[in-house]
Amino acid sequence: MLNPASDAFIAHLRTLLPPQAFRDATDAVLSEPRGRWRGQGHPIAPATTTEVATLVAACAAARVGIVPFGGGTGLVGGQIMPADESNGPLPVILQLDRLRTIRSLHPTENVLIAEAGVTLRAVQDAAEQANRLFPLSLASEGTATIGGVLATNAGGVHVLRHGNARAQCLGIEAVTADGQVWHGLTRLRKDNAGYDLRDLIIGSEGTLAIITAAALALAPRPAQTGSALLAVPSPQAALDLLALARDIAGDAVTAFELIHKQGLAFLSETGLAVPPPLDPLPDWMVLIDLALPPGPTPETLLEQIAEQALARDLATDGTIAQSQSQRAAFWHIRETIPEANRRIGAVSSHDISLPLSEIPAFIATAPAALARIDTFRINCFGHLGDGNLHYNVFPAPGRTRADHDHQRSAVKTAIHDLVHAAGGSVAAEHGLGRLKVTDLETYADPVKLALMRKVKQALDPQGILNPGAVLRAP
Ligand SMILES: Cc1cc2nc3c(=O)[nH]c(=O)nc-3n(C[C@H](O)[C@H](O)[C@H](O)COP(=O)(O)OP(=O)(O)OC[C@H]3O[C@@H](n4cnc5c(N)ncnc54)[C@H](O)[C@@H]3O)c2cc1C
């Protein structure tokens, strides 16, 4: 059993850490982006890896739980521990934003070493200044931190070309559950010396270790970039268009996003309206991004893709960005849809992935499964190129999500059952947090679940790291 972070324990911590590390529990650390939960805990913000290790060692000695907190943009409640028995007593909230140094940059090696609290955007900017690219890109990148994106193995819009956060990390420095520092900041691309602990800790959502710094792999900066927004007659046509685009442009296709007109309707409804990018507005659109070395322009290749798509009825209309500002306007639509969704307030949001060829059938059948429960609006959009959809279910006009509170679990089960039956994942890029602990228990291979519990027991035998997240607290 864990102990609460009592006043006496916090007084003890004050003898170990400088006064600047102690913070008030404000809304910023107690609320989560979709307003679903209110957290609890004593926020403590160490400024160095040594201070993190001191804090963790003290928590281990006193058996006090620790909830790691980066930018607080996680969507599954991993960084927020509500006060309820399944999570255990009052924890320490370990805020990592004061670990914000970019320790070194190695342009010839294409490596950057950043501390856990550096924001994703700050890393992108530092890479750009060295004429390099850090390709991980999410709508939350101004706030999300390197520790958070690695802890959740975040995805985003460039997974199709560059892989998820795991693929862009060479090494990590981490504090273990007993307060030791693992100095794993290797810059090596090849290192098969034993079990890959880096990959075990990446994606573990703060339940196996605290990430304090990471060696990140950079990519060459593309000389040219371009975008097109094409109207597609169906999700199946969008998939065929993806194949066509890759036949023509190969790995230059860096993003391929599916957008439904419901997303644009939500932009208008929530005061975020944009000029309609196509007229008439089609049901389905895809946003394609190309990144190229010097040579043929992206516009030439995008025209080729669009012409062939129109000839084969894979697209019915479209527009190719003629300037970087028009390109930014296309991406603004895509990147603002999550904010419109937040303002509308989903009954249930599903971050799912499916084998690519299963996607059209899923999109065709899911509305009927939902209609058996009630009338809803659906905003289905996302990273079609890597099989990851955000399938979000909203109240019909005139109703609120509170009207559907009693149906949330039925909605989630209907969607997740379909995804599981089609060989998909019910936690594609956001992780499990506390929101999907039961889903893991329901859908995971039982051997995998048993192995996960053994790993947790081995690395965090007292269960102090992020209690109640990913695996149910014993
Ligand atoms: C508008 C919006 C758009 C988004 N788009 C995407 C998207 O396209 N793709 C995607 O994958 N996600 C997306 N997300 C989700 C979120 O931004 C990511 O999960 C991000 O990686 C979280 O980073 P963070 O620093 O905010 O972490 P937090 O929210 O603070 O924490 C997330 C999890 O990581 C743990 N954690 C944080 N820091 C550390 C650390 N240093 N060591 C150990 N554990 C730690 C926390 O305990 C928690 O379990 C989006 C979120 C929003 C609000």
Side-chain angles (χ1 to χ4, degrees):
M1 268 301 279
L2 296 181
N3 296 313
S6 62
D7 289 347
F9 178 65
I10 299 298
H12 169 58
L13 290 181
R14 283 186 183 278
T15 66
L16 304 174
L17 295 168
Q20 302 89 306
F22 296 85
R23 289 180 169 169
D24 292 334
T26 60
D27 263 3
V29 281
L30 297 182
S31 49
E32 58 89 38
R34 289 179 175 145
R36 283 220 188 280
W37 298 279
R38 183 125 186 113
Q40 54 158 352
H42 281 289
I44 299 187
T48 64
T49 300
T50 308
E51 287 180 13
V52 174
T54 302
L55 172 63
V56 175
C59 289
R63 297 178 80 105
V64 168
I66 300 170
V67 177
F69 191 102
T73 66
L75 296 174
V76 289
Q79 76 283 22
I80 298 288
M81 183 206 270
D84 83 46
E85 277 173 16
S86 62
N87 292 306
L90 191 72
V92 159
I93 301 173
L94 168 47
Q95 288 194 266
L96 290 135
D97 57 293
R98 290 180 71 220
L99 274 76
R100 53 171 173 245
T101 304
I102 293 184
R103 291 191 190 162
S104 59
L105 205 156
H106 309 263
T108 46
E109 294 181 16
N110 277 320
V111 177
L112 180 153
I113 297 184
E115 293 187 342
V118 179
T119 64
L120 179 49
R121 179 157 311 137
V123 168
Q124 293 165 347
D125 290 348
E128 183 174 355
Q129 278 164 24
N131 194 30
R132 296 290 181 273
L133 177 75
F134 187 59
L136 195 72
S137 175
L138 327 169
S140 54
E141 63 201 19
T143 312
T145 61
I146 289 304
V149 299
L150 289 172
T152 59
N153 188 26
V157 295
H158 293 146
V159 173
L160 176 64
R161 169 69 183 86
H162 295 282
N164 47 24
R166 185 192 304 285
Q168 294 162 49
C169 180
L170 301 172
I172 58 172
E173 176 188 273
V175 172
T176 62
D178 56 0
Q180 298 186 71
V181 180
W182 172 39
H183 297 282
L185 278 181
T186 174
R187 311 202 305 264
L188 303 175
R189 310 254 161 184
K190 289 187 175 176
D191 180 10
N192 283 347
Y195 302 143
D196 200 330
L197 301 179
R198 170 200 60 188
D199 274 358
L200 193 58
I201 291 169
I202 293 174
S204 69
E205 302 182 53
T207 62
L208 298 182
I210 309 297
I211 298 168
T212 49
L216 302 169
L218 306 179
R221 233 185 146 64
Q224 323 177 70
T225 48
S227 302
L229 190 69
L230 301 183
V232 291
S234 63
Q236 181 62 56
L239 269 189
D240 295 341
L241 175 56
L242 170 65
L244 171 70
R246 297 186 93 183
D247 285 347
I248 292 174
D251 269 353
V253 184
T254 53
F256 196 94
E257 298 283 305
L258 184 69
I259 300 174
H260 190 264
K261 71 172 180 193
Q262 185 68 67
L264 280 91
F266 280 178
L267 291 179
S268 304
E269 202 174 318
T270 55
L272 298 166
V274 292
L278 298 172
D279 184 20
L281 198 60
D283 280 357
W284 294 103
M285 286 157 270
V286 292
L287 177 53
I288 310 177
D289 236 18
L290 296 192
L292 292 166
T297 66
E299 288 73 26
T300 319
L301 287 178
L302 287 165
E303 271 160 28
Q304 224 177 314
I305 292 169
E307 271 167 26
Q308 291 195 30
L310 289 165
R312 293 192 212 171
D313 292 330
L314 300 181
T316 53
D317 189 8
T319 170
I320 294 166
Q322 298 303 320
S323 63
Q324 287 299 319
S325 65
Q326 196 179 2
R327 179 166 175 251
F330 289 171
W331 275 100
H332 175 75
I333 296 172
R334 166 62 185 85
E335 300 292 35
T336 315
I337 287 173
E339 174 58 18
N341 286 342
R342 194 190 63 78
R343 291 186 190 186
I344 298 276
V347 175
S348 184
S349 304
H350 310 100
D351 165 40
I352 57 173
S353 63
L354 288 151
L356 279 188
S357 55
E358 300 289 341
I359 287 178
F362 168 79
I363 292 179
T365 50
L370 292 174
R372 284 194 281 277
I373 301 170
D374 205 337
T375 306
F376 298 103
R377 289 182 291 176
I378 297 162
N379 189 10
C380 168
F381 69 105
H383 320 300
L384 184 67
D386 46 84
N388 173 200
L389 297 176
H390 298 307
Y391 197 88
N392 296 351
V393 180
F394 296 85
R399 300 173 80 183
T400 67
R401 76 178 180 185
D403 296 334
H404 296 283
D405 273 349
H406 62 293
Q407 294 164 327
R408 179 167 302 129
S409 146
V411 166
K412 190 177 80 161
T413 303
I415 297 302
H416 285 180
D417 281 356
L418 282 175
V419 170
H420 183 66
S425 167
V426 300
E429 64 172 0
H430 296 161
L432 298 160
R434 293 181 173 78
L435 182 66
K436 294 186 181 171
V437 172
T438 310
D439 292 302
L440 181 76
E441 292 166 350
T442 308
Y443 299 111
D445 179 284
V447 176
K448 173 183 171 173
L449 194 56
L451 290 174
M452 283 179 67
R453 289 185 175 130
K454 283 187 185 166
V455 169
K456 173 75 175 169
Q457 176 63 28
L459 296 195
D460 180 18
Q462 301 196 103
I464 62 166
L465 294 180
N466 222 356
V470 180
L471 293 169
R472 198 172 296 282

